[in-house]
Amino acid sequence: MTFHSISSQGENSSVIRSWCESNGYSYLGEKGGELQIAASQSTEARFTYIKEICSISDEIYELAIEGEPPHCEVKITYSGERGLRYALNAIGQLKKRGEWREGVKYDYPLFSIRGIIEGFYGQPWNQEQRLNMLRFIASNNMNTYIYGPKDDVYHRERWQELYDEESYSRLSEVFSEATALGLDFYYSIAPGLSMRYSSEEQFEALIRKVGQIYELGVKHFCLLLDDIPGELQHQEDIRIYRDLSEAHIQLVNRFYTEIMKWDAGIRLIVCPTQYCGIGNERYISKLGSSIHPSIDLFWTGRNICSQEITLSEASVFTQHTHRKPLYWDNYPVNDVEMTDEMHIGPYRLRDRHLYRFSRGIIANGMEYAESSKIAYATIASYLWNPEQYDPEVSWREALEEVVGRSDFEHMLQFADNVRYSCLYPTDSPMLAAELTRFNFAYFYGDRKQGIDELEQFVTKMSNSAAALLSNSMENRELQKELQRWVLKFSVGCALLQDCMDYIRSQDADDLLRVHSNYDLYRSDVTYVFADVLVSFLNKVLEQHFTIK
């Protein structure tokens, strides 16, 4: 089943042409393509209104498919340009997954705001990575990208200074690409580390800086007041304001009033200093009750990196701040204390009805752009339809999309042992299951068969480690990012084989080798296998598996 060329009739042929160019299809205008698309926009209620969230939308589409590739016709009906883009993405996915069949597909997203923020500490993505990421999230039906890398000096440290020509040009390129892809581009600025809230000069500098970005055509902004002291720091501010919340209320409202003078279509998101918790604390309640109701507030949930996000937590926040939370979800980010972890597991433990009680979700990424895509793909799947979202199915699809089909099985063997994160406090579920079966077989079943089967599993993992360390991976950038973790995975596999050798031989020299290699393994703090392997190794070293 294949087609390589597409022809179209109807409105927005430029969008279809652009999509074809980005996805490797030949665009042949109005005739001649193996796949013929007829696209038309509709203003009917079913194409402009999403009942579940009681919201007008430009993201609804319907596909009516007739025929089988390579010669078939698709009629697309859509509410807006985004709906058309998502319909085209659906065509690509149906072909890629071999699920092409005649019939009608009517679809729309349940979360209104679906996107990512480049908001981590560490090396920001380079321009190529950033532009590539925009194309990736657009292909996965996200609609928002927020620029806010903590280590961009113009964003945080030197927030008062205008961008130099080169940096300004790069931002312009990112904004233009995001716009071309149908994404909302947000520029964020973080003045809170040094700002004197009572200083007219510094407020004017803030407006001047944001105004420079507005001149690019940007109409979406974030004012970030996170990760700063929780009390006023400057004597001038202490004399004028009763506390930090009062200073922030005045700053946010004045800032919003000023930028709204430029354009009525401007949107603002604020990240408060207290951005996690129960949602009824004094600072966040006072801030939410006092700022303009059109301003969105970021919230990370109960914790900075929340294991779960529930409806009850969202309702408390809404009640006390008078607006639904816009979640800044700190996954898959792995900065600060998490730098030894690699977060490539699936998105989990977000309530399937959260879309009813939140503005949306923005996911914070890792400085490892290619690796972040794995989690991002599962997040995109959840955000489109959380009620039907299956973490494991989505994860396997994400691995295949990012890694490539040829490396999928090897990557699955590896990735199953680096699931640990705030969302997955254990690790290595496949290995854990194998070790459980082995333990039972060794003491209560067929001992030889148990040893043979575990050794076969270890060999399979070792082969995958070798393949991922070779120079043949399809996604070379991903291979480079993961190398540290794959090396630790390889060492762990070798140590498991040492254990199997000892269990078979019961030889003291083999046990000594386990001891020696175990010390080497523990000296590397790269986080792989979590406690699953260590627990097994401790049993081996304690001679738990000694023939009696």
Side-chain angles (χ1 to χ4, degrees):
M1 184 191 78
T2 182
F3 53 83
H4 303 284
S5 60
I6 293 176
S7 60
S8 70
Q9 296 179 348
E11 310 151 20
N12 279 318
S13 60
S14 61
V15 174
I16 299 175
R17 179 188 298 109
S18 175
W19 183 87
C20 288
E21 291 171 354
S22 298
N23 290 273
Y25 298 105
S26 298
Y27 180 75
L28 303 179
E30 293 189 0
K31 58 182 179 180
E34 297 165 304
L35 174 65
Q36 297 181 10
I37 294 176
S40 61
Q41 191 171 10
S42 173
T43 58
E44 292 180 30
R46 66 189 297 263
F47 287 104
T48 56
Y49 185 74
I50 299 177
K51 294 179 181 179
E52 291 91 335
I53 55 176
C54 303
S55 176
I56 300 295
S57 175
D58 64 350
E59 299 187 307
I60 305 169
Y61 72 86
E62 182 178 84
L63 298 178
I65 300 172
E66 294 183 6
E68 293 287 339
H71 299 290
C72 50
E73 297 180 0
V74 176
K75 179 181 178 182
I76 299 175
T77 309
Y78 59 94
S79 56
E81 184 177 308
R82 281 181 174 166
L84 175 57
R85 291 180 182 277
Y86 302 154
L88 295 170
N89 288 342
I91 289 173
Q93 289 297 324
L94 289 172
K95 175 179 180 283
K96 182 178 179 180
R97 296 173 181 171
E99 298 174 353
W100 193 274
R101 58 182 175 272
E102 291 189 314
V104 176
K105 177 182 174 65
Y106 173 75
D107 209 358
Y108 51 85
L110 291 177
F111 277 95
S112 297
I113 300 177
R114 311 178 305 282
I116 69 169
I117 180 168
E118 186 181 345
F120 49 82
Y121 291 93
Q123 181 65 41
W125 296 332
N126 63 42
Q127 192 74 341
E128 181 181 356
Q129 290 172 324
R130 191 171 291 125
L131 295 174
N132 184 274
M133 184 64 80
L134 293 180
R135 291 186 284 270
F136 179 82
I137 65 172
S139 71
N140 280 275
N141 294 356
M142 286 187 171
N143 61 17
T144 304
Y145 165 78
I146 298 178
Y147 178 86
K150 292 290 194 291
D151 290 343
D152 169 5
V153 293
Y154 288 107
H155 160 74
R156 187 171 171 88
E157 181 182 339
R158 293 160 53 188
W159 63 269
Q160 299 180 64
E161 300 180 26
L162 297 179
Y163 279 90
D164 61 40
E165 186 176 346
E166 181 181 355
S167 302
Y168 192 61
S169 177
R170 285 198 299 268
L171 270 179
S172 177
E173 184 182 16
V174 176
F175 168 66
S176 296
E177 180 69 7
T179 302
L181 291 167
L183 299 170
D184 287 335
F185 172 90
Y186 279 79
Y187 172 78
S188 60
I189 188 166
L193 277 177
S194 60
M195 187 175 191
R196 288 173 169 81
Y197 303 109
S198 57
S199 169
E200 189 68 24
E201 180 183 354
Q202 291 202 356
F203 181 78
E204 290 175 357
L206 177 64
I207 296 300
R208 184 167 58 250
K209 175 67 165 288
V210 174
Q212 183 191 29
I213 308 303
Y214 173 72
E215 290 174 1
L216 294 174
V218 177
K219 296 183 181 181
H220 299 85
F221 299 98
C222 297
L223 181 62
L224 306 186
L225 302 170
D226 57 317
D227 297 349
I228 62 175
E231 298 178 352
L232 294 167
Q233 300 297 300
H234 304 292
Q235 287 302 315
E236 307 96 299
D237 293 339
I238 293 172
R239 285 194 295 269
I240 293 175
Y241 303 108
R242 284 174 291 185
D243 56 25
L244 187 68
S245 64
E246 186 175 283
H248 283 176
I249 289 166
Q250 184 188 75
L251 171 65
V252 169
N253 281 332
R254 188 180 179 194
F255 179 75
Y256 183 69
T257 299
E258 287 297 315
I259 64 176
M260 288 302 293
K261 293 176 182 178
W262 302 338
D263 193 301
I266 283 176
R267 296 290 307 174
L268 177 63
I269 304 171
V270 170
C271 185
T273 301
Q274 187 221 331
Y275 52 79
C276 66
I278 296 174
N280 62 358
E281 294 85 354
R282 181 178 182 275
Y283 169 94
I284 195 62
S285 298
K286 189 175 178 183
L287 183 71
S289 299
S290 305
I291 63 175
H292 195 282
S294 295
I295 299 171
D296 280 317
L297 281 176
F298 273 135
W299 191 247
T300 66
R302 195 66 177 263
N303 305 106
I304 297 174
C305 300
S306 294
Q307 182 177 2
E308 62 178 356
I309 298 177
T310 68
L311 298 186
S312 60
E313 292 169 352
S315 67
V316 171
F317 180 93
T318 302
Q319 179 183 359
H320 289 272
T321 66
H322 306 285
R323 69 204 70 219
K324 293 179 180 179
L326 173 57
Y327 285 102
W328 170 322
D329 205 342
N330 276 314
Y331 186 78
V333 66
N334 68 338
D335 57 7
V336 195
E337 294 94 348
M338 301 178 289
T339 54
D340 297 320
E341 302 169 14
M342 172 53 71
H343 296 161
I344 56 175
Y347 200 50
R348 302 173 69 244
L349 302 177
R350 274 64 184 137
D351 195 283
R352 61 196 293 264
H353 292 291
L354 191 62
Y355 67 91
R356 300 179 186 271
F357 300 90
S358 71
R359 292 279 293 132
I361 293 178
I362 302 294
N364 193 11
M366 301 182 282
E367 66 177 85
Y368 306 99
E370 284 299 308
S371 302
S372 294
K373 289 178 180 178
I374 298 171
Y376 277 159
T378 68
I379 293 170
S381 178
Y382 167 83
L383 292 175
W384 184 266
N385 193 334
E387 294 190 12
Q388 295 182 10
Y389 174 70
D390 184 317
E392 293 303 313
V393 171
S394 178
W395 187 53
R396 286 172 178 258
E397 291 174 349
L399 285 172
E400 185 171 330
E401 177 183 4
V402 177
V403 178
R405 186 168 297 178
S406 60
D407 299 309
F408 168 73
E409 290 296 339
H410 294 310
M411 181 57 66
L412 181 61
Q413 286 293 319
F414 161 72
D416 199 62
N417 296 284
V418 284
R419 288 179 179 242
Y420 180 85
S421 70
C422 63
L423 305 187
Y424 209 105
T426 58
D427 213 336
S428 306
M430 290 196 297
L431 176 60
E434 289 294 331
L435 293 176
T436 297
R437 281 192 288 270
F438 166 74
N439 190 77
F440 181 86
Y442 190 89
F443 291 105
Y444 308 108
D446 188 324
R447 180 172 292 174
K448 181 180 182 305
Q449 181 180 346
I451 294 173
D452 289 344
E453 289 179 350
L454 180 56
E455 193 162 35
Q456 289 171 12
F457 185 81
V458 172
T459 299
K460 186 177 181 180
M461 288 201 303
S462 298
N463 291 340
S464 292
L468 297 177
L469 290 172
S470 70
N471 294 321
S472 61
M473 270 192 69
E474 186 176 334
N475 189 331
R476 299 300 293 276
E477 186 63 27
L478 179 67
Q479 182 180 36
K480 180 180 178 182
E481 291 179 358
L482 293 177
Q483 185 177 31
R484 173 187 171 190
W485 287 269
V486 177
L487 283 170
K488 180 67 177 285
F489 174 63
S490 178
V491 172
C493 291
L495 187 52
L496 269 170
Q497 186 57 58
D498 290 340
C499 291
M500 301 312 299
D501 291 342
Y502 163 68
I503 291 171
R504 282 190 185 278
S505 69
Q506 300 291 301
D507 186 275
D509 289 339
D510 287 338
L511 183 60
L512 185 63
R513 187 168 67 254
V514 174
H515 268 288
S516 177
N517 290 338
Y518 182 54
D519 292 339
L520 179 64
Y521 175 82
R522 291 295 296 270
S523 67
D524 181 359
V525 296
T526 304
Y527 214 73
V528 181
F529 295 112
D531 295 329
V532 173
L533 180 55
V534 170
S535 176
F536 178 71
L537 291 171
N538 287 336
K539 288 182 179 181
V540 172
L541 294 175
E542 294 165 3
Q543 300 185 46
H544 181 71
F545 300 105
T546 301
I547 298 174
K548 299 178 181 179

